[in-house]
Amino acid sequence: MIMHRVTFENTSVTVAVPRGTLLSEAAQGTGLDVAQPCGGQGRCGRCTVQVIDGTVRRRSTLRLSPQDLSEGYALACQTVIESDVVIRIPEQEKIERRLTTDRTALEVEVPSGYDYDYIGSVKRVHLEIEPPTMDDQTDDLGRLKRALRQQAGITSPTFSLHFLRNLGTALREQDWRITAIYEIKDHPGGGIQEWMIDLVPGFVDDDLPLWTAAIDIGTTTVTLWLVNLLTGKVMAQASEYNGQINRGEDVISRIVYANKPGGADELRQLVLKTINGLLEKACLRVKEYEVTPGEVVKATIAANSTMMHLLLGIPAASIRLSPFITGVNQIPWLTAKDVGIAISPDGVIDCLPGVASYVGADITAGVLSSGMDETPQITLFMDVGTNGEIVLGSREWLVTCACSAGPAFEGAGVFHGMRATRGAIEEIWINSETYDPSFRVIGGTKPRGICGSGLISLLAEMFMTGVADKAGHINTSLDTPRVRQGE
């Protein structure tokens, strides 16, 4: 195997890689991040780097002009290394949460008639365990089971290995007085079973919150709400861009990226990092109590089918291939330790059920929370995100469809298109007499491109001033040099 040295000029980082390695892979191997919004398909041109010295082979030159090529520019996701090279990585577009503000917990109302004693599946019970003696040498687990049966009526407890490893220490820390936290689950064979989540030494005050997290994993944004199960009240909320966004701006691009060697695990770790970071932020935002992520005993997740598969490491390739079948729509309950979410290790992760390849648990959640499945009136439900879905129907019937929506609002497919970040033209006005345009740029800086709202504004102004008709045809008879034919 022939090895070559790759030096990244603006960072002074050098790495040795085999001949034929992609520039994007070489950069990632050093911890440098090169954005690949199209998932590394070579379509968007936003992973452009400059080859200062050395030999490379460009598989594709899409979106690169002859001048770009003469100056050494190349698409990092489509260019392989064939000698020692020196590479300059231009400043990457920064994804900033400039326009999305966190909604406060006060805006989320407790559902009418909320009664946790009646509907709650997570329970907490105080137990007095009989300590062992020379006359009673029952093992620790047997003592716990006996106390659960006699003092709480729990007859079918189940335990993880992690739980058993901590059992003896928890029992002895407070002289065999403990608080057990468990989840009531339907047993696959019928009846119920109690999944033991945690043992807390001593008797916990019954009025202290039982913490859960509600997580919405969007293709672009992840939002987390921290809820006190006892009251149903949202205590804190946090949002952030999905860490996967630099590996694909839409679900198809991410599925493509996941099929690359190591791509699926990278995407999984990126979204877990986002979720766990939000969990820490939300805990810090709770004013009434000191909360740590480890005290959260359950998390419920809503996401579209692709995001759910990528989170769990389930192959998603079949979702984009005819006949567009998911690996799983209704995911069985999992533990936080299995998934990698940093709540209590044996806390339950409840992934809401999806419907089909492009109609996931986010739509299930929306339909149920809006109540359109219970009303006799014909209702239209719309979720316009990176992936857009529409549901039409009533309590009698429901029909749904989906399409890619977000990229259009983010300027995808437009030569100078970009997200709504600093430097993006976000609004445009056209003088109806002179046809001269004026515009507003996010951050008040020199424009770098145009975002989706700018494109919509531009089209609206062109239509209202007669520059274009409703079919999008340009009026070439206007007396202005701004309308001309040719390239």
Side-chain angles (χ1 to χ4, degrees):
M1 183 181 296
I2 301 175
M3 304 293 290
H4 296 299
R5 293 174 64 82
V6 183
T7 301
F8 295 94
E9 182 189 65
N10 41 339
T11 63
S12 300
V13 173
T14 300
V15 64
V17 298
R19 173 176 288 187
T21 299
L22 287 169
L23 288 176
S24 57
E25 295 172 347
Q28 289 171 30
T30 67
L32 298 173
D33 192 23
V34 177
Q36 300 176 64
C38 67
Q41 300 176 75
R43 292 189 292 103
C44 67
R46 281 149 71 178
C47 66
T48 303
V49 297
Q50 189 174 17
V51 181
I52 304 301
D53 188 35
T55 302
V56 298
R57 177 167 53 85
R58 297 170 175 82
R59 295 176 179 172
S60 171
T61 58
L62 188 68
R63 295 188 179 274
L64 295 176
S65 67
Q67 181 179 349
D68 292 334
L69 295 174
S70 68
E71 294 175 357
Y73 286 99
L75 303 179
C77 72
Q78 297 293 316
T79 303
V80 297
I81 296 160
E82 296 192 335
S83 74
D84 291 353
V85 292
V86 177
I87 304 297
R88 178 182 297 146
I89 300 178
E91 182 180 355
Q92 298 290 291
E93 176 186 346
K94 294 181 180 179
I95 304 172
E96 304 170 286
R97 289 192 54 78
R98 293 182 56 87
L99 305 180
T100 305
T101 57
D102 289 342
R103 289 180 293 172
T104 65
L106 295 176
E107 294 178 351
V108 184
E109 296 182 358
V110 178
S112 176
Y114 183 85
D115 183 354
Y116 187 73
D117 290 335
Y118 177 69
I119 68 169
S121 61
V122 178
K123 302 294 184 182
R124 191 165 52 195
V125 61
H126 298 158
L127 299 174
E128 292 266 9
I129 311 292
E130 294 181 12
T133 65
M134 292 300 294
D135 296 326
D136 181 4
Q137 296 188 347
T138 304
D139 65 291
D140 291 344
L141 182 60
R143 291 176 186 281
L144 176 62
K145 285 183 175 180
R146 184 167 62 195
L148 288 169
R149 183 177 62 254
Q150 294 175 351
Q151 299 175 40
I154 296 174
T155 58
S156 305
T158 53
F159 314 89
S160 72
L161 178 58
H162 175 269
F163 185 95
L164 298 178
R165 285 172 175 164
N166 293 281
L167 173 61
T169 302
L171 292 177
R172 289 168 176 81
E173 273 190 6
Q174 287 290 328
D175 198 23
W176 304 87
R177 299 170 74 252
I178 58 146
T179 300
I181 303 173
Y182 62 96
E183 166 99 7
I184 300 173
K185 302 295 293 182
D186 292 329
H187 193 282
I192 63 170
Q193 65 180 13
E194 296 88 4
W195 173 255
M196 305 308 295
I197 295 173
D198 201 4
L199 287 182
V200 182
F203 287 175
V204 175
D205 188 337
D206 287 335
D207 292 330
L208 286 178
L210 269 174
W211 297 106
T212 189
I215 305 169
D216 177 17
I217 305 175
T219 312
T220 301
T221 306
V222 179
T223 304
L224 183 146
W225 292 263
L226 200 60
V227 181
N228 177 3
L229 285 176
L230 297 183
T231 63
K233 183 180 178 182
V234 174
M235 305 296 286
Q237 185 256 1
S239 297
E240 187 52 83
Y241 277 113
N242 188 329
Q244 300 172 337
I245 200 167
N246 273 345
R247 300 295 177 263
E249 290 187 337
D250 56 80
V251 294
I252 299 301
S253 296
R254 283 191 210 164
I255 293 172
V256 171
Y257 191 87
N259 284 335
K260 296 183 175 184
D265 185 63
E266 182 185 358
L267 291 176
R268 181 170 176 271
Q269 294 303 322
L270 286 170
V271 73
L272 283 173
K273 182 179 179 181
T274 303
I275 293 171
N276 291 332
L278 291 175
L279 188 60
E280 291 185 6
K281 284 183 182 179
C283 286
L284 291 173
R285 290 177 180 177
V286 177
K287 298 178 180 178
E288 296 89 337
Y289 305 92
E290 290 187 6
V291 191
T292 64
E295 295 176 70
V296 179
V297 296
K298 183 175 183 177
T300 300
I301 298 176
N304 65 51
S305 301
T306 300
M307 293 302 102
M308 197 76 84
H309 281 58
L310 294 179
L311 168 70
L312 301 177
I314 300 172
S318 60
I319 294 176
R320 68 180 284 262
L321 302 174
S322 179
F324 315 110
I325 302 300
T326 52
V328 56
N329 281 324
Q330 298 195 27
I331 297 165
W333 66 274
L334 305 165
T335 67
K337 190 172 186 293
D338 290 337
V339 178
I341 295 177
I343 64 172
S344 179
D346 288 319
V348 171
I349 303 297
D350 192 357
C351 299
L352 299 183
V355 178
S357 54
Y358 297 105
V359 184
D362 49 349
I363 302 309
T364 304
V367 168
L368 293 176
S369 64
S370 67
M372 68 177 294
D373 61 315
E374 298 177 348
T375 178
Q377 298 176 317
I378 301 298
T379 305
L380 183 66
F381 174 87
M382 292 184 288
D383 179 354
V384 183
T386 305
N387 196 52
E389 299 90 357
I390 293 179
V391 183
L392 178 68
S394 66
R395 67 187 180 191
E396 301 295 333
W397 56 273
L398 295 166
V399 62
T400 181
C401 62
C403 69
S404 181
F409 291 98
E410 295 158 8
V414 177
F415 192 85
H416 290 292
M418 63 180 292
R419 297 188 194 94
T421 59
R422 187 177 181 85
I425 296 173
E426 64 171 341
E427 194 164 9
I428 296 170
W429 300 270
I430 296 177
N431 186 297
S432 59
E433 296 181 357
T434 64
Y435 303 106
D436 289 335
S438 56
F439 52 86
R440 180 167 58 210
V441 180
I442 297 175
T445 64
K446 180 180 178 180
R448 295 170 45 226
I450 184 168
C451 64
S453 59
L455 290 167
I456 293 170
S457 173
L458 172 62
L459 291 171
E461 285 288 298
M462 290 173 67
F463 174 65
M464 289 189 294
T465 56
V467 176
D469 62 21
K470 64 182 181 180
H473 297 132
I474 303 294
N475 183 354
T476 58
S477 63
L478 290 177
D479 184 21
T480 170
R482 291 188 176 276
V483 174
R484 56 188 181 273
Q485 291 179 288
E487 295 185 2

